[in-house]
Amino acid sequence: MQASVPTLTQSSLCGFSVGTPVLPTVQRHAVSGIRLTEIDRAPEESLDTRREDELRDVEVKEEESEAGDPAWLRRRASQKKKLSHSRLDRVRLRRIEANARERHRMHGLNNALDSLRKVVPCYSKTQKLSKIETLRLAKNYIWLLSEILSTDQKDI
DNA sequence: TAGGCCATCTGGTCCT
DNA sequence: AGGACCAGATGGCCTA
């Protein structure tokens, strides 16, 4: 007894126009300025090592702009004149560390999104779905699979 | 050139 | 106090 199972097609899954041009992965990375080494780095490399790299990058950037403090710091300094020099340094350090953590967090989020891209239909090694496309497609895919499941159960 | 997509920075809020 | 999370702002790059 064969049930009428919904056909799994790209057009039924994609909530967006299939013809939408999607840039190749490498090109996208060039676009976004992500270093390919960040994404393609071997998984066995520890997160700590990556964090150290990120922090080092930030320190370099900070040194480059040493000529003048960032706007947020100047603002804060003027608003809270009572802030001692050491306290200001501490605030600055905490901001830098928070930025690094935030960057790390977003990288984790992007890695999870990449994993999702690989299990969703439409996945291509040469064409990368955008974030929003990936999420919409995943939602539609889950919906379709649950439809298939419920259809099968009715036939039992 | 406008619009889309993205990474990053930042300050606010909540939680431990 | 400090970390996680979030949303807004910003700027860079690419394509139509």
Side-chain angles (χ1 to χ4, degrees):
Chain A
M1 227 4 182
Q2 191 66 14
S4 58
V5 176
T7 315
L8 193 147
T9 63
Q10 287 201 347
S11 56
S12 68
L13 288 171
C14 305
F16 54 89
S17 149
V18 177
T20 305
V22 179
L23 291 174
T25 308
V26 173
Q27 198 176 345
R28 273 290 177 87
H29 289 157
V31 169
S32 56
I34 307 173
R35 290 164 297 178
L36 283 175
T37 51
E38 278 294 341
I39 289 174
D40 298 337
R41 211 180 290 226
E44 63 267 22
E45 191 166 356
S46 73
L47 286 177
D48 284 345
T49 307
R50 297 181 62 172
R51 280 189 94 152
E52 284 171 13
D53 286 351
E54 288 165 2
L55 275 171
R56 213 171 297 127
D57 287 348
V58 170
E59 284 167 7
V60 168
K61 282 179 192 169
E62 291 298 320
E63 284 171 12
E64 283 170 353
S65 59
E66 190 105 319
D69 279 335
W72 61 269
L73 202 59
R74 287 197 304 271
R75 213 163 40 236
R76 183 170 285 229
S78 66
Q79 283 170 357
K80 301 181 178 180
K81 289 179 181 174
K82 287 178 184 174
L83 239 53
S84 67
H85 185 69
S86 60
R87 174 101 174 111
L88 208 58
D89 281 347
R90 182 151 182 78
V91 168
R92 181 192 289 137
L93 180 65
R94 280 187 55 197
R95 205 348 106 188
I96 290 172
E97 288 173 345
N99 288 346
R101 280 195 305 273
E102 177 64 9
R103 234 178 293 125
H104 186 254
R105 193 182 71 84
M106 293 310 293
H107 288 170
L109 193 61
N110 289 337
N111 286 341
L113 214 47
D114 279 336
S115 301
L116 187 59
R117 279 190 186 97
K118 290 174 186 169
V119 296
V120 138
C122 290
Y123 177 71
S124 161
K125 293 207 170 189
T126 55
Q127 291 193 324
K128 188 180 179 185
L129 292 170
S130 71
K131 291 181 174 181
I132 188 73
E133 286 167 350
T134 303
L135 291 175
R136 284 183 181 142
L137 186 55
K139 187 210 79 176
N140 290 344
Y141 188 38
I142 291 169
W143 172 84
L144 183 64
L145 292 178
S146 60
E147 282 294 303
I148 293 172
L149 271 179
S150 62
T151 306
D152 279 352
Q153 281 175 350
K154 281 179 194 167
D155 290 338
I156 294 175

